[in-house]
Amino acid sequence: MTLAKEEPDRGEPLAPGGQDPYVPSERRLARERYKRARSRRAVAVAALSSLVTAAALVLVVVNAPGWSRTRETFFDAGYAREALPLVLDGLWLNVRLLLVCGAAVLVLGMLIAVARTLPGPVFFPLRALAAAYTDFFRGLPLIINLMIVVLGVPALRLQGVSVDPVLLGGTALTLTYSAYVAEVFRAGIESVHPSQRAAARSLGLTNRQALRHVVLPQAVRRQVPPLLNDLVSLQKDTGLVSIGGAVDAVRAADIIVGRSLNYTPYLVAGLLFIALTIPMTRLTDWVTARTDRRRAQGGLL
C-alpha cells in the first residue's frame, strides 16, 4: 500500500528554495500596530509639550515690564541687517582659527600624551615635563592665557617674533587645548590592555612599531567622541581672540555695538556661532552612539 504524495497548493506561490512564504501571525501584527500607535502618541505628546512650554516662555518674556526696551535693544531688525555681513566676515576668521588650531592641537596633544606614557626611568624627565605642561595649562584660565600671550609677547620686543593678534591668539588657544586633548589621548592609550602591546612585541614589532600600529589606532578610535567635544569647545572659544584686537565675529559685533549702543549685533554673532556649532554637536552625538553600538556588539576593542 502506497501513500499518495501531497502536492503543494498551486494557488500560493512558493518562496525561493521551495519553502512556503512567511506570513506573520496576528499577534505579531497586533504588536507592531501597538508599537506604531505608541510611537505616534509619543511624538504627539512631545510636540504638544514643546508648544506649551514655548508659549509659556513667550508669554513670560513678552509680559515682562522691561520687554519693550529689551526688544529695542536686542531685537532690532535694522541693526541685525547691518551687522550680518560684517559678522559673517569676522566668522570666517573664527572658522580658519578652528581649522588651523584644531590640527595643531591634535598633533601637539598626541605628542604630549605619548611623552607621558613612555616607559622606563630614562624618560622620566620627559614624562615630568609633559605632566607639568598639562597641569599648568589645564589650571590656567584660558582668558588669562590669552592676555599673557597676546599682550605679554609684544611687550618683550623679541626680534623675529610676530605680534599679529590672530597668530598670538591662536597660539594661546593651541597651548591651552593641547593640554586637555593630551589627557584625552593619554586616557585612550592607557585604556588599551597591556596584552595588546605584548602580543605585538611577540610578533617581532619594536616598542615604537607597537605603539604606532597597535596601541595608537585603538586609543584614537576609542577617544573620538571626547575629541570632538573638545573641538566644539575650541570653536566657541575662538571668539576670545577679539581681546587682542583681532576682528572676528565677536569683535565685528562689538564695533557696531560701540557705535550704536544697540546689542542686536551680539545676538547675531551668537546665533551664527550656534549655527556653526550644532552640526559638530550632532556629529559628536552620532559618533558616540555608533561607538557605543559597536562596543555593545563586540566590534570595538
Side-chain angles (χ1 to χ4, degrees):
M1 181 177 181
T2 59
L3 296 177
K5 185 177 181 181
E6 296 183 0
E7 294 291 336
D9 187 2
R10 298 301 181 183
E12 296 182 0
L14 295 179
Q19 299 179 356
D20 292 337
Y22 169 72
V23 178
S25 63
E26 288 297 328
R27 179 177 297 180
R28 180 182 180 89
L29 293 175
R31 188 185 304 116
E32 292 177 353
R33 287 194 297 268
Y34 175 73
K35 289 181 178 180
R36 288 194 296 268
R38 285 196 61 183
S39 177
R40 289 193 296 267
R41 182 172 177 269
V43 171
V45 170
L48 180 61
S49 175
S50 301
L51 289 175
V52 171
T53 303
L57 291 175
V58 169
L59 289 176
V60 170
V61 173
V62 171
N63 293 324
W67 165 243
S68 59
R69 181 59 178 168
T70 302
R71 182 178 57 188
E72 296 174 359
T73 306
F74 287 92
F75 300 96
D76 190 294
Y79 284 111
R81 286 191 296 269
E82 177 187 353
L84 183 59
L86 299 176
V87 174
L88 279 174
D89 289 340
L91 188 67
W92 174 235
L93 174 61
N94 296 107
V95 173
R96 286 181 291 170
L97 277 173
L98 171 64
L99 296 176
V100 176
C101 294
V105 163
L106 292 176
V107 174
L108 184 57
M110 175 65 76
L111 294 176
I112 296 170
V114 171
R116 288 203 64 180
T117 56
L118 289 175
V122 69
F123 294 113
F124 173 78
L126 195 57
R127 293 197 300 269
L129 287 175
Y133 177 93
T134 56
D135 291 342
F136 180 80
F137 282 105
R138 289 176 70 197
L140 183 68
L142 176 58
I143 188 70
I144 295 180
N145 185 18
L146 279 162
M147 290 181 177
I148 292 174
V149 175
V150 174
L151 303 178
V153 172
L156 295 175
R157 298 181 180 179
L158 298 174
Q159 295 294 329
V161 177
S162 175
V163 295
D164 184 0
V166 176
L167 180 60
L168 295 177
T171 300
L173 289 172
T174 302
L175 291 174
T176 295
Y177 272 90
S178 294
Y180 289 100
V181 171
E183 288 300 285
V184 173
F185 278 131
R186 184 172 72 92
I189 292 173
E190 293 181 349
S191 69
V192 179
H193 198 273
S195 62
Q196 298 287 320
R197 190 188 295 265
R201 295 284 290 140
S202 68
L203 293 175
L205 274 67
T206 64
N207 281 325
R208 180 179 177 181
Q209 291 173 333
L211 179 66
R212 177 183 175 184
H213 298 289
V214 178
V215 177
L216 287 183
Q218 297 183 57
V220 172
R221 188 166 58 247
R222 293 178 179 183
Q223 299 304 105
V224 167
L227 288 174
L228 289 176
N229 281 325
D230 285 336
L231 291 180
V232 170
S233 298
L234 175 63
Q235 185 270 321
K236 295 182 296 183
D237 286 341
T238 55
L240 294 176
V241 299
S242 60
I243 66 174
V247 184
D248 69 328
V250 177
R251 182 60 178 167
D254 189 55
I255 293 173
I256 301 175
V257 170
R259 184 178 66 248
S260 63
L261 298 180
N262 187 284
Y263 298 105
T264 304
Y266 285 147
L267 185 62
V268 173
L271 292 176
L272 289 177
F273 271 105
I274 292 173
L276 190 62
T277 302
I278 287 177
M280 297 180 62
T281 306
R282 296 286 76 81
L283 175 63
T284 302
D285 294 341
W286 178 80
V287 171
T288 302
R290 180 172 177 269
T291 302
D292 293 340
R293 288 195 302 269
R294 291 185 61 189
R295 185 176 288 112
Q297 296 171 359
L300 188 64
L301 294 177

